[in-house]
Every structure is written in structure tokens, then in C-alpha cells.
Amino acid sequence: MEEENHTEKTNGEAVSESNVKYHTLEEIKLHNTSKDTWLIIHDKVYDITRFMEEHPGGEEVLLEQAGADATESFEDVGHSTDAREMLEQYLIGEVHMDDRKNQSAKDIFISTSGESSSWTTWVIPALATAVVGLMYRYYTLEHRSS
């Protein structure tokens, strides 16, 4: 017999039978103060309010990311295994599936634009080098024939 995973929505929060709470981006954005701080890291939602004063980087660093996706910032810092394990005690749910799709569409757009700019970073210098080379050769030949 197949088991269905039913979800019900209450106060903007979906709860599945597997006890995973799903939070919408709209709901998460509301938790952006030092007295109520939520972060998203790898599509998981953390209530880090109790950790604010203990954070080695200071409260301000966390408040900059409050109510938003802090995955990139979290990974850029290079947190230790201990920090990653400590994070689990603040886990309160996951980003709602509908909002995850929106995020990955954004990521695809960003990476596509990044590819085109990296392409131009080598083409422009290559063209400049070719032009300088041709100018050098032209002027060198002109001065020899004079």
C-alpha cells in the first residue's frame, strides 16, 4: 500500500506527516531582528536568535543576513565541522518547495550571466594584444624602410 505525504498549511507554514515544517520565503523574511532571527542555509531554516550573542563574528554579521538566504555567506567564511554540527540545534524546518524552485531559477540566471562576463574577460585582452602587436610590427617596418 502506498503512503501519501499530506501537507496542511497553517499560518503560512506547511507541516508534513514526516514532521518537517516548511516555511515560505515571505514568512522567513519577517524574522529579521536581533530578538527574532531566522536564516536559510542550503534550503534549511534556522532560528538562530539564541545564538546571536555567542557568534564569534559578532551579531551584526548575522543581522545582515537575517530573514534571508545566507548559504553563500556561510560557505564563503569556511565554517568548521563543529560550527556545522552546532547549526543543527537551531534547525526549525525547510524552505517551502515552491520557493526553492524560484531560488534555483535565480541561480541559473546568475550563473549564465557569469559565463558571458568570463568570456569577455579573455577576449578583450586578446584583441588588445593583437592590436598592439600589429601596431608594433607596422611601426617597426615603417622605420626600417625610411
Side-chain angles (χ1 to χ4, degrees):
M1 187 168 158
E2 271 186 53
E3 198 175 289
E4 290 182 11
N5 190 11
H6 298 284
T7 60
E8 54 188 72
K9 229 172 179 171
T10 55
N11 299 332
E13 178 181 297
V15 182
S16 73
E17 287 180 0
S18 63
N19 293 330
V20 174
K21 291 184 180 178
Y22 292 96
H23 304 277
T24 63
L25 288 179
E26 197 173 299
E27 176 193 5
I28 295 165
K29 287 177 187 175
L30 300 174
H31 301 273
N32 62 1
T33 67
S34 60
K35 304 253 186 260
D36 182 22
T37 314
W38 288 14
L39 294 178
I40 301 167
I41 300 175
H42 296 294
D43 290 326
K44 293 184 177 183
V45 182
Y46 300 92
D47 181 349
I48 58 159
T49 310
R50 296 176 294 146
F51 181 66
M52 295 294 283
E53 291 179 14
E54 298 172 34
H55 187 256
E59 185 175 315
E60 300 79 26
V61 177
L62 297 175
L63 278 175
E64 288 175 9
Q65 303 293 321
D69 192 334
T71 303
E72 190 174 332
S73 298
F74 183 82
E75 294 301 338
D76 285 349
V77 171
H79 283 90
S80 66
T81 306
D82 289 343
R84 292 171 190 278
E85 289 173 5
M86 184 185 293
L87 189 61
E88 292 307 310
Q89 67 184 305
Y90 302 104
L91 180 66
I92 58 168
E94 295 183 13
V95 176
H96 194 275
M97 294 300 178
D98 293 342
D99 288 332
R100 287 186 197 186
K101 291 176 188 166
N102 293 342
Q103 283 181 303
S104 38
K106 253 193 269 178
D107 291 343
I108 291 168
F109 175 75
I110 290 168
S111 67
T112 303
S113 66
E115 287 173 20
S116 65
S117 66
S118 66
W119 179 78
T120 58
T121 57
W122 68 267
V123 170
I124 293 171
L127 287 174
T129 303
V131 168
V132 169
L134 288 172
M135 287 174 58
Y136 174 77
R137 182 148 181 143
Y138 174 77
Y139 286 113
T140 313
L141 290 175
E142 280 290 317
H143 290 291
R144 281 190 186 168
S145 59
S146 304

